[in-house]
Amino acid sequence: MGIKKVGLNKNVAPQSIVEKIFFLDFAKGLKTTIKHLFKRVITVDFPFEVIVPAIRFRGVHGLRNVDGTEPEDFASWVKKLKIKPPEKGETRCIACKFCQAACPVPEIFVIKAEKLDVPEDHPHHGLKVLTQFDMDLGKCMFCGLCTLACPTACIIHTDVYDLSSYTRRGAILNKEQLAKIADDFIARRGKEKFDEHSHWPDTQKVWPEYDLARAKAWDNNPPVFGPNYQDQE
Ligand code: SF4
Ligand code: SF4
């Protein structure tokens, strides 16, 4: 196999002697570098610096506990699914698996509820509690469909984006970890995330109504979302 001969590119003018002596191309390149030295930096030196994502950012999931902001039909869902009515601070998850059904990658979820082992005359006899809720976020595409399907507004996206781990198993989160992520997120940004209609995650829409600037940036042809969108045009 011989070496392929490559000819000179006739479309590019050869460097003049002045350009060669004074490194004019080098100086031009340096000019661009120096210009950028004084511009605002838009990259961050992660993990030493972190950014705060927009509130509608679809980051690592969290599972919300009962805190008095459940949807109005929460009690009827609990009854329908024969779940032990959760106390304040216990998970809202009723193991309905709607999130899993809505997910394009259902094997991400392992959700189990088991009947309580109580005597027949106990008020909770025949009722179930959530015993397992695992998510393998290594397989997740963060599309948000699971959060929209949840009837109890339990599963949410948070602003956490660092999912790095040394093993694939590290991307599998259990219900305690997911609950902690949601708790921390709500303590940190709950006011921003949930308005007075807090039980429903409106701000998780891809293009919330108030985010017109970003919506318009979308190909100058923003998709229509929500009833108020057109009013603000
Ligand atoms: S964000 Fe999308 S891919 Fe990830 S768990 Fe939810 S529905 Fe599935
Ligand atoms: S949809 Fe909501 S309540 Fe139902 S299993 Fe998923 S997280 Fe739990």
Side-chain angles (χ1 to χ4, degrees):
M1 201 168 73
I3 297 171
K4 191 181 168 194
K5 284 191 180 169
V6 182
L8 285 174
N9 184 353
K10 292 188 182 121
N11 297 324
V12 180
Q15 283 188 321
S16 69
I17 190 81
V18 178
E19 281 175 327
K20 278 183 185 164
I21 290 174
F22 293 105
F23 301 109
L24 283 190
D25 280 351
F26 173 72
K28 274 184 211 161
L30 202 60
K31 190 177 132 202
T32 309
T33 308
I34 291 169
K35 212 164 71 188
H36 281 273
L37 268 183
F38 300 102
K39 284 196 173 169
R40 199 176 134 245
V41 178
I42 58 166
T43 51
V44 292
D45 188 14
F46 184 81
F48 307 107
E49 292 171 354
V50 290
I51 51 165
V52 179
I55 197 64
R56 66 184 168 79
F57 178 77
R58 294 197 298 259
V60 173
H61 300 70
L63 286 183
R64 290 174 80 187
N65 289 330
V66 170
D67 59 5
T69 63
E70 295 72 53
E72 281 162 19
D73 53 357
F74 178 63
S76 74
W77 278 108
V78 168
K79 205 170 158 195
K80 238 180 272 178
L81 275 281
K82 296 197 171 141
I83 295 287
K84 177 188 92 63
E87 309 274 326
K88 204 167 181 179
E90 289 180 341
T91 185
R92 293 178 181 205
C93 182
I94 52 170
C96 64
K97 302 189 182 178
F98 286 0
C99 48
Q100 188 176 24
C103 178
V105 196
E107 60 267 30
I108 287 174
F109 294 88
V110 179
I111 305 169
K112 281 185 196 156
E114 284 171 19
K115 273 192 185 165
L116 285 165
D117 185 16
V118 287
E120 269 184 35
D121 56 351
H122 194 281
H124 293 153
H125 177 74
L127 300 182
K128 293 177 287 181
V129 287
L130 183 77
T131 50
Q132 188 176 7
F133 194 109
D134 294 344
M135 288 186 80
D136 183 355
L137 290 176
K139 295 175 182 158
C140 176
M141 63 178 105
F142 299 91
C143 63
L145 294 175
C146 53
T147 64
L148 296 175
C150 181
T152 62
C154 174
I155 187 166
I156 55 167
H157 280 293
T158 69
D159 60 357
V160 177
Y161 51 81
D162 182 6
L163 244 188
S164 53
S165 79
Y166 287 105
T167 61
R168 290 188 183 188
R169 193 171 283 273
I172 302 175
L173 303 183
N174 62 28
K175 62 182 168 57
E176 286 77 20
Q177 289 167 309
L178 291 164
K180 169 94 173 58
I181 291 169
D183 273 354
D184 292 349
F185 173 64
I186 290 166
R188 199 167 55 241
R189 299 188 73 181
K191 278 203 177 77
E192 264 177 277
K193 182 81 172 174
F194 306 109
D195 57 14
E196 67 273 19
H197 311 294
S198 60
H199 56 269
W200 198 249
D202 275 345
T203 44
Q204 290 190 26
K205 284 178 188 166
V206 178
W207 297 113
E209 287 77 21
Y210 58 78
D211 203 355
L212 282 176
R214 288 189 201 213
K216 279 180 178 161
W218 187 262
D219 219 11
N220 284 328
N221 183 20
V224 176
F225 290 97
N228 305 324
Y229 187 87
Q230 293 295 355
D231 299 342
Q232 296 181 32
E233 277 285 290

